[in-house]
């Protein structure tokens, strides 16, 4: 199959524009030309009578191994922290053909279909070479009927065909394709995935809620700073909301997921909540009812107090990874167009979050549609997400909220790359990002 081909995200999809990742298919040159260049310099300098020390063992000169200048639109995404690389002379020499392995992660959720394709970088980072995101609303009507609807399944399959095309043109070393709450809870979820395999050629796995919570944590590891002692990470989805309590007050390991002390998955998300309470027209009374509904579910979460010794301290914060918090961040920044680079990793203070929720509550449906960070696709869902957020903030009050425009796909890539590197050894990517 053709290598280095990059299919751009669907220009007709607003969601595709939210990715903010590079979709460049450019691959780095191999080390092959470096020794010849070194020899050429050696010959020229000898003719001038100067003494030259050529690099030992064919090593690439420092100028060639330095970090490549960043290209427009390419933004390395940090995964879990990794140990510092060994000096070149200490690394085991292993056969390497100059090509970085390609990894892929697909997440079919209740509201979105998302794909990331990436190659590993250095120090636990990876570089996205292709991305796709489309709102498909697979879970539309699910809370009422208990089944996936025909129109919703058709939308999802069309999006998955685009993903299949993107995967087909690349030599993917490892991939993980997952489905979450909609397929997990629908009576015809397994039947739908069989249809996906027949029509799109993709075999998806339905993951359980614990795995979903762990992957969300793995995808956000680099956004938790070294001095942090406690974090409540939450992922507000379309059909479920995952919450993980992370205690970092003792010795910190490389995998953030190892520090989860308690977790829960609420069977409620922005789609299911909006369908039950209304999303287009939201009054203060109906908003309060949504908050109360989620609060009741959180009250049944027995492990919610596992971070009580850290919540009041200065080294505790909330970390949100979902369309709800990224939307709030975009509105807070008053962006004319959603910009992932400005949103991902943004800190919002308690008063800023209060002000943004109040602002959205004061807008009618058309005003929400008109905001470039909300749009028609999210205008009937964003307040349901805010209600879930308010219920979470009531249980774990914090002066700070960090916004993550990353989640399950990044967690999948982090784990795939860590496992592959443990098996394969070095990819020799240090200094070649």
């Amino acid at each position: 199959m053709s290598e280095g081909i990059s299919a751009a995200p669907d220009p007709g999809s607003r969601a595709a524009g939210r990715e903010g990742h590079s979709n460049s298919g450019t691959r780095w040159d191999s080390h092959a030309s470096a020794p010849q260049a070194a020899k050429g310099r050696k010959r020229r300098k000898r003719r001038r009578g100067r003494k030259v020390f050529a690099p030992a063992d064919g090593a690439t000169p420092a100028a060639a191994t330095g970090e490549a200048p960043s290209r427009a639109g390419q933004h390395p995404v940090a995964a879990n922290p990794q140990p510092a690389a060994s000096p070149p002379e200490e690394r085991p020499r292993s056969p390497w053909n100059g090509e970085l392995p390609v990894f892929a992660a697909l997440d079919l959720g209740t509201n979105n279909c998302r794909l990331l394709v990436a190659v590993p970088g250095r120090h636990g980072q990876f570089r996205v070479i292709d991305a796709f995101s489309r709102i498909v609303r697979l879970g539309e009507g699910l809370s009422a009927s208990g089944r996936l609807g025909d129109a919703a399944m058709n939308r999802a399959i069309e999006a998955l065909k685009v993903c299949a095309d993107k995967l087909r043109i690349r030599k993917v070393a490892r991939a993980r394709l997952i489905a979450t709450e909609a397929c997990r809870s629908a009576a015809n979820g397994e039947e739908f995935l069989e249809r996906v395999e027949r029509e799109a050629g993709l075999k998806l796995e339905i993951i359980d809620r614990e795995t979903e919570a762990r992957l969300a944590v793995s995808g956000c590891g680099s956004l938790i700073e070294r001095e942090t002692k406690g974090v409540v990470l939450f992922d507000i989805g379309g059909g479920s909301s995952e919450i993980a309590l992370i205690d970092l007050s003792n010795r910190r390991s490389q995998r953030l997921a190892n520090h989860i002390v308690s977790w829960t998955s609420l069977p409620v998300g922005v789609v299911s909540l909006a369908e039950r309470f209304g999303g287009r027209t939201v009054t203060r009374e109906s908003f309060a009812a949504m908050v109360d509904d989620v609060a009741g579910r959180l009250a049944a979460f027995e492990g919610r107090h596992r971070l009580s010794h850290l919540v009041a301290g200065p080294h505790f914060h909330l970390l949100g990874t979902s369309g709800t918090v990224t939307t709030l961040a975009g509105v807070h920044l008053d962006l004319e167009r959603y910009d992932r680079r400005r949103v991902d990793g943004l800190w919002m203070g308690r008063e800023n979050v209060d002000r943004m929720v109040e602002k959205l509550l004061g807008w009618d449906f058309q005003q929400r549609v008109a905001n470039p960070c909300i749009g028609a696709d999210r205008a009937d869902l964003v307040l349901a997400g805010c209600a879930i957020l308010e219920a979470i903030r009531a249980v774990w009050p914090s002066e700070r909220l960090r916004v993550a425009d990353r989640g399950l796909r990044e967690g999948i890539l982090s784990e795939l790359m860590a496992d592959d590197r443990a098996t394969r050894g070095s990819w020799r990517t240090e200094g070649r990002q």
Side-chain angles (χ1 to χ4, degrees):
M1 296 180 189
S2 175
E3 274 294 289
I5 301 173
S6 175
D10 181 0
S13 168
R14 175 182 175 276
R18 291 182 66 103
E19 287 304 311
H21 297 293
S22 164
N23 65 338
S24 168
T26 304
R27 287 216 310 264
W28 303 112
D29 295 333
S30 72
H31 287 293
S33 62
Q36 287 89 344
K39 290 177 182 176
R41 287 192 296 273
K42 182 176 179 181
R43 284 194 295 268
R44 287 195 298 272
K45 291 182 179 180
R46 277 179 176 163
R47 283 197 294 268
R48 291 194 292 266
R50 278 183 282 173
K51 195 170 184 179
V52 174
F53 294 94
D57 300 326
T60 306
T65 57
E67 184 171 341
S70 60
R71 300 171 185 260
Q74 290 182 357
H75 310 292
V77 180
N80 284 336
Q82 298 289 338
S86 302
E89 63 273 17
E90 295 178 6
R91 289 200 302 269
R93 301 291 183 181
S94 56
W96 182 63
N97 64 4
E99 293 187 359
L100 297 176
V102 177
F103 298 84
L106 186 149
D107 168 24
L108 178 63
T110 302
N111 198 43
N112 292 278
C113 175
R114 299 186 177 104
L115 171 73
L116 278 186
V117 184
V119 292
R122 61 178 185 175
H123 304 308
Q125 295 184 335
F126 55 80
R127 180 172 62 88
V128 174
I129 59 174
D130 210 349
F132 174 80
S133 178
R134 181 178 294 174
I135 292 178
V136 296
R137 299 206 178 199
L138 179 60
E140 187 175 63
L142 175 61
S143 59
S145 67
R147 298 179 61 83
L148 302 175
D150 290 337
M153 289 189 289
N154 291 339
R155 288 193 299 268
I157 286 176
E158 289 306 307
L160 288 167
K161 287 179 179 178
V162 177
C163 296
D165 289 341
K166 288 177 174 289
L167 294 173
R168 197 171 294 118
I169 62 175
R170 300 186 184 278
K171 292 180 180 178
V172 177
R174 292 194 183 190
R176 190 173 188 185
L177 319 178
I178 66 169
T180 56
E181 183 63 24
C183 294
R184 204 160 45 211
S185 60
N188 58 341
E190 292 283 0
E191 179 184 334
F192 167 65
L193 293 190
E194 291 174 3
R195 182 184 164 192
V196 168
E197 189 171 2
R198 288 195 310 271
E199 298 184 22
L202 298 177
K203 188 173 181 61
L204 276 64
E205 62 169 313
I206 299 175
I207 61 171
D208 59 34
R209 290 179 173 135
E210 183 176 5
T211 300
E212 187 171 356
R214 191 197 75 236
L215 289 174
V217 171
S218 295
C220 297
S222 65
L223 291 181
I224 298 180
E225 297 173 342
R226 192 167 298 277
E227 65 271 16
T228 300
K229 301 299 183 185
V231 176
V232 172
L233 183 147
F234 59 90
D235 182 359
I236 301 172
S240 67
S241 297
E242 278 62 48
I243 302 170
L245 278 61
I246 304 167
D247 188 341
L248 297 164
S249 58
N250 295 317
R251 186 175 179 181
R252 184 166 174 171
S253 66
Q254 293 178 22
R255 291 208 176 191
L256 190 65
N258 293 342
H259 296 277
I260 298 174
V261 294
S262 189
W263 69 276
T264 189
S265 178
L266 307 179
V268 62
V270 296
V271 174
S272 55
L273 200 62
E275 286 183 349
R276 285 169 45 220
F277 290 91
R280 291 175 65 95
T281 301
V282 180
T283 65
R284 292 187 179 276
E285 290 74 23
S286 61
F287 183 77
M290 286 192 281
V291 175
D292 289 343
D293 180 274
V294 181
R297 299 174 189 273
L298 284 173
F301 173 32
E302 294 182 356
R304 66 187 183 279
H305 299 306
R306 294 291 300 274
L307 291 181
S308 296
H309 61 298
L310 298 171
V311 169
H315 301 299
F316 169 83
H317 67 85
L318 299 178
L319 176 57
T321 167
S322 68
T324 296
V325 293
T326 57
T327 297
L328 282 179
V331 175
H332 166 65
L333 294 172
D334 197 23
L335 298 178
E336 294 183 359
R337 182 178 182 274
Y338 184 84
D339 186 348
R340 180 187 184 274
R341 292 170 297 181
R342 295 187 61 186
V343 168
D344 186 47
L346 178 74
W347 287 100
M348 293 183 67
R350 177 177 54 82
E351 293 181 357
N352 290 329
V353 178
D354 290 342
R355 187 159 52 248
M356 289 306 103
V357 172
E358 183 66 23
K359 187 173 188 175
L360 293 185
L361 264 175
W363 285 353
D364 61 22
F365 178 71
Q366 291 304 325
Q367 286 175 301
R368 299 195 299 272
V369 170
N371 185 276
C373 294
I374 302 175
D377 288 334
R378 299 175 184 273
D380 61 336
L381 304 176
V382 64
L383 284 172
C386 288
I388 298 172
L389 173 60
E390 291 300 271
I392 291 171
R393 294 173 70 212
V395 177
W396 298 283
S398 175
E399 291 297 316
R400 300 185 303 157
L401 164 66
R402 194 161 204 190
V403 178
D405 188 345
R406 56 182 74 193
L408 299 183
R409 294 169 302 163
E410 289 82 359
I412 290 171
L413 289 175
S414 300
E415 294 193 356
L416 287 178
M417 291 181 186
D419 292 342
D420 187 77
R421 188 159 192 165
T423 302
R424 185 196 299 260
S426 174
W427 300 302
R428 298 197 184 174
T429 61
E430 290 82 358
R432 294 175 54 78
Q433 183 167 290

